[in-house]
Amino acid sequence: VEGETCECPLHGGETSSGPRGDGRTFLLCVRGGGSALGLLLPRQQHACDTREGSPFTLASVNRVKTPGGRLVAQVTKKLGTRPKCGDCGMALAGLPSLRPREYSRIRKSAKHVTRPYGGSRCCNCVRERIVRAFLVEEQKIVKKVLNAQKKKEASEKKTQKKKKTQK
């Protein structure tokens, strides 16, 4: 479909249809002939109707004018999100917000804080877990004490019955 205007977010160029490797044809974004961007990125054509082949899936391309007066394409990467708490979903304090690949490149001490559940749970959730564990242990102890008291009372009743029957 020659001569149609493109809805590409980078520019308002023209489109042309082209063959795909598998034989299908699709609309390609053709950067304006002779412009600085057209000469700079001739192979970065992409399908305007899908996000699959688009350079905008992982990054954004902006036109920037250099101090020398040239118009160049500047690729800005996607921002990383803050690591979140696995329980409440709140952002974890003290950890950098990076892309997943960048976490593999930083040192281990920068990926977590020094406490139990450091890079995984926030401080409030860790406090809740500790208190919950303490209360569960207390409950177990109380159950044991109550069972011991019941057994003691039962044994005392048996001894009293034996004494009554002997008299």
Side-chain angles (χ1 to χ4, degrees), residues 68-69 92 121 164:
L92 296 176
R121 304 289 186 263
K164 284 183 181 178

Side-chain angles (χ1 to χ4, degrees), residues 61-126:
V61 180
N62 299 325
R63 286 192 237 169
V64 178
K65 205 166 219 180
T66 63
R70 290 189 312 136
L71 191 64
V72 296
Q74 184 182 49
V75 178
T76 54
K77 294 183 178 179
K78 283 173 77 173
L79 295 175
T81 56
R82 299 274 307 269
K84 305 280 192 299
C85 173
D87 289 345
C88 66
M90 196 173 80
L92 296 176
L95 299 179
S97 55
L98 303 172
R99 297 296 299 163
R101 183 70 180 172
E102 292 170 344
Y103 276 112
S104 66
R105 295 189 190 115
I106 63 173
R107 62 191 187 280
K108 190 175 180 181
S109 62
K111 295 178 198 174
H112 68 92
V113 292
T114 52
R115 68 162 173 261
Y117 300 100
S120 170
R121 304 289 186 263
C122 67
C123 59
N124 298 328
C125 293
V126 171

